[in-house]
């Protein structure tokens, strides 16, 4: 069965990089269609408004309005568009700001092309993606370094089954649903079912916020 086309807007002020990225994506996967290439945040907003993409790949640091501010603007007006931050920087402040304003992925520019394509597809399917280094930074920023911490586990944590706790550990570690399925040797649909149960027990379904707030529950992974 043919995969559905995913429309993408690319945003980066480095012309050579963004044009190369466009060719790589479309050559490696013809179902990824780049509907616009923007070189600053304001141009990105125009492309998003006119082409209605599924995914925006957004650089963090650009002249004028930066990527984080553009994420906030786009997410407020087009909440169904999935935004991935793609940058050479992994600065703490940008990690938190981008996720807090609506980004659902944060990947570094040195990612392998095939893994980037897998990440785009995972985000399009509803996953939240971060590099492991970024997920670790989020935990340190939100809860400190965890050494000597006596922060009690939330009440709902005790109601999770052993399988749900294992899955939550993978999820807050930044793995996609597909990667969790592979790590746990279960079907991807089973992963989605477990995540729905976890959301119900936590009382929220904002995956990015859950990653920020609850990775400290698994200090052995840091």
């Amino acid at each position: 069965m043919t995969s559905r086309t995913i429309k993408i807007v690319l945003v980066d002020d480095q012309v050579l990089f963004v044009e190369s990225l466009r060719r790589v994506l479309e050559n490696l996967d013809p179902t990824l269609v780049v509907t616009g290439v923007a070189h600053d945040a304001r141009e990105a907003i125009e492309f998003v408004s006119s082409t209605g993409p599924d995914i925006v790949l957004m650089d963090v640091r650009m002249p004028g309005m930066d990527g984080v501010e553009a994420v906030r603007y786009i997410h407020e007006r087009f909440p169904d568009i999935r935004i991935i931050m793609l940058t050479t920087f992994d600065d703490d402040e940008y990690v938190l700001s981008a996720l807090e304003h609506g980004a659902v992925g944060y990947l570094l520019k040195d990612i392998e092309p095939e893994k980037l394509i897998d990440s785009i597809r995972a985000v399009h399917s509803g996953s939240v993606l971060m590099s492991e280094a970024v997920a670790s930074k989020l935990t340190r920023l939100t809860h400190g370094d965890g050494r000597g911490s006596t922060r009690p586990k939330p009440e709902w944590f005790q109601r999770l089954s052993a399988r749900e706790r294992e899955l939550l550990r993978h999820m807050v570690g930044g793995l996609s649903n597909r990667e969790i399925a592979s790590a746990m040797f279960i079907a991807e649909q089973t992963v989605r079912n477990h995540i729905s149960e976890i959301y119900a027990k936590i009382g929220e379904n904002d995956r990015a916020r859950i990653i920020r707030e609850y990775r400290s529950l698994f200090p052995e992974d840091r």
Side-chain angles (χ1 to χ4, degrees):
M1 187 173 79
T2 304
S3 298
R4 185 170 80 81
T5 296
I6 299 176
K7 296 188 295 181
I8 302 171
V9 165
L10 305 178
V11 190
D12 197 296
D13 64 325
Q14 297 179 17
V15 177
L16 181 60
F17 170 79
V18 76
E19 290 295 343
S20 298
L21 180 59
R22 176 182 197 162
R23 288 193 293 273
V24 165
L25 291 178
E26 294 188 331
N27 287 339
L28 288 180
D29 191 336
T31 67
L32 302 181
V33 177
V34 177
T35 60
V37 174
H39 302 301
D40 60 54
R42 296 190 184 281
E43 192 178 8
I45 291 168
E46 292 177 9
F47 275 124
V48 167
S49 301
S50 61
T51 67
D54 302 298
I55 300 283
V56 176
L57 282 177
M58 175 86 69
D59 189 22
V60 165
R61 295 191 178 187
M62 292 177 290
M65 180 191 294
D66 67 24
V68 174
E69 180 63 18
V71 167
R72 183 194 62 76
Y73 185 96
I74 292 170
H75 184 66
E76 285 179 356
R77 289 157 180 78
F78 309 99
D80 292 334
I81 293 176
R82 312 280 285 172
I83 305 171
I84 302 173
M85 307 308 290
L86 185 63
T87 178
T88 55
F89 300 95
D90 60 350
D91 303 74
D92 296 344
E93 61 185 293
Y94 288 111
V95 174
L96 281 174
S97 295
L99 292 170
E100 286 172 351
H101 288 308
V104 294
Y106 195 109
L107 301 169
L108 304 182
K109 283 183 178 178
D110 61 0
I111 188 173
E112 296 177 1
E114 292 79 6
K115 188 170 178 63
L116 174 59
I117 289 172
D118 287 343
S119 298
I120 290 170
R121 293 209 161 276
V123 165
H124 185 251
S125 299
S127 294
V128 173
L129 293 178
M130 286 180 286
S131 68
E132 233 176 280
V134 167
S136 295
K137 284 179 182 290
L138 279 174
T139 300
R140 291 197 300 273
L141 282 170
T142 308
H143 301 291
D145 63 12
R147 287 175 294 187
S149 172
T150 58
R151 185 176 185 239
K153 288 180 168 55
E155 183 273 335
W156 55 258
F157 188 80
Q158 309 306 323
R159 293 187 279 112
L160 297 180
S161 67
R163 175 57 61 91
E164 288 169 344
R165 292 183 188 184
E166 181 184 2
L167 194 149
L168 178 63
R169 178 172 62 83
H170 289 309
M171 185 171 73
V172 299
L175 271 62
S176 68
N177 287 359
R178 179 181 299 178
E179 290 169 330
I180 293 171
S182 176
M184 296 181 65
F185 303 101
I186 57 178
E188 196 168 345
Q189 181 58 53
T190 304
V191 171
R192 288 194 287 269
N193 292 343
H194 280 311
I195 289 176
S196 294
E197 290 295 323
I198 292 169
Y199 285 164
K201 290 178 181 179
I202 293 176
E204 64 176 290
N205 60 6
D206 184 335
R207 190 162 178 159
R209 184 177 184 279
I210 289 170
I211 290 172
R212 288 199 308 274
E213 291 294 318
Y214 300 123
R215 193 165 190 269
S216 62
L217 293 173
F218 304 96
E220 67 276 8
D221 294 340
R222 306 207 305 273

